[in-house]
Amino acid sequence: MFSYEKEKLSEDIVSIVNKYGKNRTSLLPILQSVQEKHHFISETAIQEIADLLGIHPVEVYGVATFYSFLNPDQKAVFKIRLCQTISCEMQGKEKIKNVLENELGIKFGETTKDNRFSLEFVNCLGMCDQGPALLVNQKVYTKVTPEKVKEIIDECKSQFSSHFLSKEE
Ligand code: FES
């Protein structure tokens, strides 16, 4: 994690903890807010929250993993999951896979060195008539074309810049 990201994360955690209060019962809304703002709960975030609440990091980790949507093990800021099930397979999933790998310079199952993107396959997302379908974190994209892949990646990059780099300006 870059130092400006760490600084921004610390600042956000302090203000989130102040908002919800420094007690155990606030742990879940605190984790949800951090997840919402930073897209995942990193080890650094777990440690900082534990310090601020005066509880053991294992307790914070336990709550984060119990609520699987909090994704504490997710390293990438943008976790891209492409549907590999039959309908999407027949609607051009392979082409989308190749464009994603080329654009990001990684293979499926990998994470970019800067931890911004990861690629993985998932099974049916329930959008079979609108394939190929993919998820970026919790957001669903349907009828994805190679051009749309580039737009999605650009959109993520600009979100990342405005989120993390605005303080640098
Ligand atoms: S097969 Fe891809 S969404 Fe159902």
Side-chain angles (χ1 to χ4, degrees), residues 82-131:
L82 177 64
C83 174
Q84 63 177 354
T85 310
I86 187 72
S87 297
C88 286
E89 178 77 52
M90 290 168 66
Q91 293 173 95
K93 161 236 147 193
E94 199 60 23
K95 198 186 267 181
I96 299 307
K97 168 193 170 277
N98 293 336
V99 180
L100 280 165
E101 289 183 335
N102 286 339
E103 286 292 314
L104 297 175
I106 54 170
K107 298 280 176 205
F108 269 70
E110 294 179 350
T111 301
T112 54
K113 280 202 177 78
D114 59 8
N115 283 342
R116 288 190 198 192
F117 295 95
S118 65
L119 290 176
E120 58 185 67
F121 289 118
V122 283
N123 292 320
C124 187
L125 297 168
M127 298 287 174
C128 320
D129 57 337
Q130 297 175 64

Side-chain angles (χ1 to χ4, degrees):
M1 187 183 274
F2 301 118
S3 65
Y4 59 83
E5 290 172 3
K6 229 175 178 170
E7 222 176 274
K8 172 78 180 129
L9 177 67
S10 293
E11 266 177 34
D12 287 344
I13 289 176
V14 169
S15 87
I16 288 166
V17 168
N18 286 338
K19 179 176 168 194
Y20 290 103
K22 288 186 183 179
N23 51 61
R24 263 194 182 76
T25 52
S26 308
L27 185 51
L28 188 55
I30 289 170
L31 287 169
Q32 283 171 320
S33 290
V34 175
Q35 162 81 12
E36 211 176 285
K37 266 197 123 159
H38 291 269
H39 308 291
F40 72 114
I41 312 282
S42 64
E43 278 179 30
T44 313
I46 287 178
Q47 185 61 58
E48 296 223 10
I49 294 166
D51 289 346
L52 288 166
L53 297 189
I55 57 179
H56 200 280
V58 169
E59 198 176 331
V60 179
Y61 187 81
V63 172
T65 46
F66 182 75
Y67 294 96
S68 57
F69 59 88
L70 292 171
N71 290 330
D73 291 326
Q74 180 181 339
K75 285 202 185 79
V77 175
F78 299 104
K79 197 165 190 174
I80 300 177
R81 300 175 175 109
L82 177 64
C83 174
Q84 63 177 354
T85 310
I86 187 72
S87 297
C88 286
E89 178 77 52
M90 290 168 66
Q91 293 173 95
K93 161 236 147 193
E94 199 60 23
K95 198 186 267 181
I96 299 307
K97 168 193 170 277
N98 293 336
V99 180
L100 280 165
E101 289 183 335
N102 286 339
E103 286 292 314
L104 297 175
I106 54 170
K107 298 280 176 205
F108 269 70
E110 294 179 350
T111 301
T112 54
K113 280 202 177 78
D114 59 8
N115 283 342
R116 288 190 198 192
F117 295 95
S118 65
L119 290 176
E120 58 185 67
F121 289 118
V122 283
N123 292 320
C124 187
L125 297 168
M127 298 287 174
C128 320
D129 57 337
Q130 297 175 64
L134 62 78
L135 274 177
V136 178
N137 297 339
Q138 272 85 33
K139 188 171 176 184
V140 184
Y141 292 86
T142 55
K143 295 184 177 170
V144 178
T145 59
E147 295 71 36
K148 202 161 170 183
V149 167
K150 290 172 193 168
E151 283 171 26
I152 292 168
I153 291 173
D154 285 346
E155 194 184 308
C156 293
K157 285 180 177 166
S158 74
Q159 268 183 43
F160 185 89
S161 304
S162 60
H163 188 71
F164 289 110
L165 303 179
S166 55
K167 273 181 66 68
E168 296 286 288
E169 290 160 5

